[in-house]
DNA sequence: ATGAAAGCGCTAACAT
DNA sequence: ATGTTAGCGCTTTCAT
């Protein structure tokens, strides 16, 4: 008889029988219950090892009402920001004994709603939701079924725990940096006029505030949309801007992928970075550090966002009635070659 | 009474009561069982909508023995290759009505074993395992508890389904490309002498074969290890090589992150790409297309790997006795600026 | 410190 | 085409 044949379908009762105790005692050992006599504990542990017992998570979850899982709703993983965020969340959750399930929303409103209300999100003990598609109008009617912590901006009619980066302030800092190195015609790359609450709106606001305080006129032709917030979208938007004769001496890209794509398009246009065009991104993904030239960007405190969000969620799960809180992580301007001129 | 209060804890019996049918009929509707009278189906659907019913996945899984989940074991998500792979797998699984749980192994042998044998992997209906740390020696004793498809190379004593890229052939093609553009001192970046079965070994083999066929001597000082297979590791290794006076006119990096880091280090060393040093990567992650210069690389057929692996796993789950199969995806050399000289 | 028994919500076997 | 019943494996309540 092969090892795996004895291991498949080993239950707590099997372990109990081998150890000569009741199922109850096995459960006590497995769940680190204190009051188990050391000798008993050891016999149970031996039986567990011998049989290769692993708890049946479905049974545990059904009975206890807790799955030991949290769900992380993000638009995609292809974008390094979300991949890194997901890793950070998984590690933070893991350090609290929780596992993480990633649910991809594709950044689409319909899928966000569907997933938020779906069985997977409900079966999680709590949900971390990085909102992208939902707007205030849609969300006001939504009431989440699980404890939830939002990553990003407020939504929902009900007050909600929230962890967010300081979008406006960070965008202002990024723009100020470009102003300080003497740039006056700064492309705001990623502007989304139809959006009302998301990152695009907030980062554009910070951009505009910085200009206003520096008495530099806001020019609408410099607020450029990107079809997608990735390399291709950034490159395309900058190419379009160049072709249409919009003049600019700097780019503030609303995320790093846009910025990297933009740098590529600028180079293709025969202009040099940072001499002709300075570039600042947002996110501080790994790639920004290694591109040529390396890219100045905003570190929005992603690691902290993950850690705080997981902690907040755990506290929310523990006490559904507690006062909702809001955390804003410190950000940091990381100056690199793309603005070092 | 708020909406969510009625929605929490709605069971199949609640729906049955409201619809005036038995739980069995509700289950039939939920699981798309054919023989349900349309009028009955509609009444059940109405009740489901009214109550906001969502099935309890733990209960379903406990009873049916199937969780509707597959597990994907990968070392990390930070590396774009794995992030993109994970997305591809999630989409492929989703198109078959399965959800995906990502389990991070950190590329460490111990964690790979622990996770492979752990409760989360067992509770999945099947496992997709991208091996990194396990070596043949360790794995020969391992017998997975769930249906499994390996991504990468063979392991385990038992024959196993396998989907793999053509590491040797692709590496040979990459190296040939560099030879064809006249390079003779090609750094093999990512070589891992102590490894016996993994990507590093196979890609180095392809590299060596290409050299041999071109009658170019294999020089061990050109086979360079990287501490980590990321940007930092690539940059560091190339810096070291440069500092130690190793001469090279090309780099074959064993993955794209290494290649991008290498390009950065080459540029820092004052040499130009591709004129002085040509660079080829491996993986064809998005970034390789957008770097400056854009990077020639091997497209290993990642999308197909994901799709085929999920299909193989589904068939393996359906029939544990079927003959194990092996699929090798076609690869493609993608020539870009880093070798266009 | 441990045992006995109930039941979480669902699906599958056995009904009709 | 649909109802009835049992039981998946665990944790929890009530025991002692």
């Amino acid at each position: 008889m092969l090892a795996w044949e004895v291991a498949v379908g080993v239950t707590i009762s099997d372990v109990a029988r081998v150890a000569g105790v009741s199922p109850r005692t096995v459960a006590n050992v497995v769940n680190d219950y204190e009051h188990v006599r050391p000798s008993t504990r050891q016999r149970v542990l031996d039986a567990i090892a011998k049989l290769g017992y692993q708890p049946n998570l479905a049974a545990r979850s059904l009975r206890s009402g807790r799955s030991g899982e949290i769900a992380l709703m993000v638009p995609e993983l292809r974008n390094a920001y979300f991949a890194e965020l997901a890793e950070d969340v998984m590690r933070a959750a893991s350090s609290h004994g929780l596992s993480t399930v990633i649910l991809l929303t594709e950044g689409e409103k319909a899928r966000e709603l569907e997933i938020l209300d779906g069985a997977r999100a409900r079966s999680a003990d709590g949900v971390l939701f990085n909102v992208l598609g939902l707007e205030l109008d849609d969300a006001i009617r939504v009431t989440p079924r699980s404890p939830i912590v939002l990553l990003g901006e407020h939504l929902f009619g009900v007050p909600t725990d929230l962890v967010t980066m300081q979008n406006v302030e960070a965008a202002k800092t990024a723009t100020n940096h470009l102003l300080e190195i003497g740039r006056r015609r700064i492309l705001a790359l990623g502007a989304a006029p139809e959006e009302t609450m998301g990152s695009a709106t907030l980062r554009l606001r910070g951009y505009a505030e910085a200009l206003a305080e520096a008495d530099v006129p806001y020019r609408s032709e410099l607020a450029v949309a990107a079809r997608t917030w990735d390399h291709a979208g950034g490159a395309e938007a900058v190419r379009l801007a160049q072709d249409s004769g919009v003049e600019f001496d700097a780019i503030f890209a609303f995320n790093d992928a846009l910025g990297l794509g933009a740098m590529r398009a600028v180079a293709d246009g025969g202009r040099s970075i940072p001499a002709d065009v300075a570039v600042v991104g947002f996110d501080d993904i790994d790639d920004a550090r290694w591109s040529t030239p390396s890219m100045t960007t905003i570190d929005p405190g992603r690691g902290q966002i993950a850690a705080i969000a997981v902690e907040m969620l755990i506290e929310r799960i523990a006490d559904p009635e507690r006062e909702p809180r809001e955390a804003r992580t410190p950000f940091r301007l990381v100056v690199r070659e793309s603005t070092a001129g």
Side-chain angles (χ1 to χ4, degrees), chain A:
Chain A
M1 190 189 267
L2 297 176
W4 68 269
E5 286 179 324
V6 309
V8 160
V10 177
T11 75
I12 215 167
S13 309
D14 299 328
V15 176
R17 205 174 311 114
V18 170
V21 297
S22 80
R24 158 73 201 264
T25 302
V26 178
N28 282 345
V29 171
V30 170
N31 299 317
D32 287 322
Y33 181 67
E34 288 178 57
H35 305 293
V36 180
R37 219 185 307 152
S39 64
T40 310
R41 176 184 302 276
Q42 195 50 55
R43 260 187 304 137
V44 171
L45 255 20
D46 290 345
I48 286 174
K50 180 176 173 191
L51 299 176
Y53 168 77
Q54 292 282 135
N56 180 317
L57 298 183
R60 172 180 286 177
S61 169
L62 176 59
R63 174 63 239 223
S64 70
R66 274 163 293 110
S67 61
E69 283 179 358
I70 62 172
L72 171 66
M73 294 175 57
V74 286
E76 50 172 357
L77 291 177
R78 182 164 254 90
N79 181 322
Y81 174 78
F82 292 114
E84 294 176 16
L85 176 70
E87 255 197 42
D88 289 345
V89 166
M90 292 177 96
R91 278 187 237 281
S94 176
S95 77
H96 292 280
L98 295 169
S99 52
T100 304
V101 171
I102 297 170
L103 305 177
L104 296 183
T105 65
E106 317 277 355
E108 287 165 22
K109 187 188 296 188
R111 277 197 56 71
E112 285 183 336
L113 286 168
E114 186 187 330
I115 292 173
L116 192 58
D117 196 48
R120 306 251 330 152
R122 289 194 196 187
S123 83
D125 294 340
V127 176
L128 257 31
F129 180 15
N130 195 305
V131 186
L132 196 67
L134 280 185
E135 292 282 317
L136 208 50
D137 295 346
D138 316 302
I140 200 85
R141 276 163 241 262
V142 176
T143 323
R145 261 62 173 185
S146 302
I148 190 165
V149 172
L150 293 182
L151 309 180
E153 298 307 313
H154 270 304
L155 282 175
F156 307 135
V158 184
T160 312
D161 290 308
L162 178 70
V163 185
T164 187
M165 48 183 77
Q166 304 189 41
N167 278 299
V168 177
E169 299 79 356
K172 196 165 159 181
T173 299
T175 309
N176 273 333
H177 174 60
L178 291 168
L179 291 167
E180 277 160 17
I181 62 171
R183 309 304 162 115
R184 287 297 174 270
R185 303 189 64 95
I186 304 169
L187 216 62
L189 176 55
E194 69 293 345
E195 195 202 63
T196 59
M197 278 296 296
S199 309
T201 305
L202 298 168
R203 293 175 194 176
L204 186 62
R205 188 179 305 157
Y207 163 85
E209 284 180 14
L211 293 187
E213 289 181 16
D215 275 328
V216 173
Y218 176 94
R219 299 171 202 274
S220 60
E221 73 270 23
L222 290 176
V224 170
R227 211 165 28 80
T228 49
W229 274 34
D230 54 18
H231 298 88
E236 183 188 69
V238 168
R239 251 183 254 118
L240 242 59
Q242 284 172 156
D243 291 352
S244 68
V246 177
E247 278 177 44
F248 55 90
D249 54 14
I251 300 173
F252 170 35
F254 288 3
N255 81 5
D256 281 350
L258 286 170
L260 291 166
M263 293 213 301
R264 182 63 229 202
V266 167
D268 290 343
R271 294 202 288 165
S272 84
I273 301 168
D276 302 325
V277 180
V279 178
V280 178
F282 201 116
D283 281 349
D284 195 27
I285 62 176
D286 285 350
D287 303 293
R289 187 170 156 204
W290 298 101
S291 62
T292 312
S294 60
M295 189 171 68
T296 296
T297 188
I298 295 287
D299 169 4
R302 201 200 54 239
Q304 285 193 56
I305 289 176
I308 296 172
V310 168
E311 278 165 30
M312 264 197 189
L313 186 56
I314 288 169
E315 290 169 17
R316 167 64 52 209
I317 293 166
D319 178 8
E321 306 303 327
R322 73 176 296 157
E323 196 68 14
R325 285 170 306 166
E326 202 170 312
R328 318 201 131 241
T329 54
F331 66 91
R332 206 167 48 92
L333 177 72
V334 184
V335 178
R336 301 206 182 97
E337 294 163 350
S338 67
T339 61

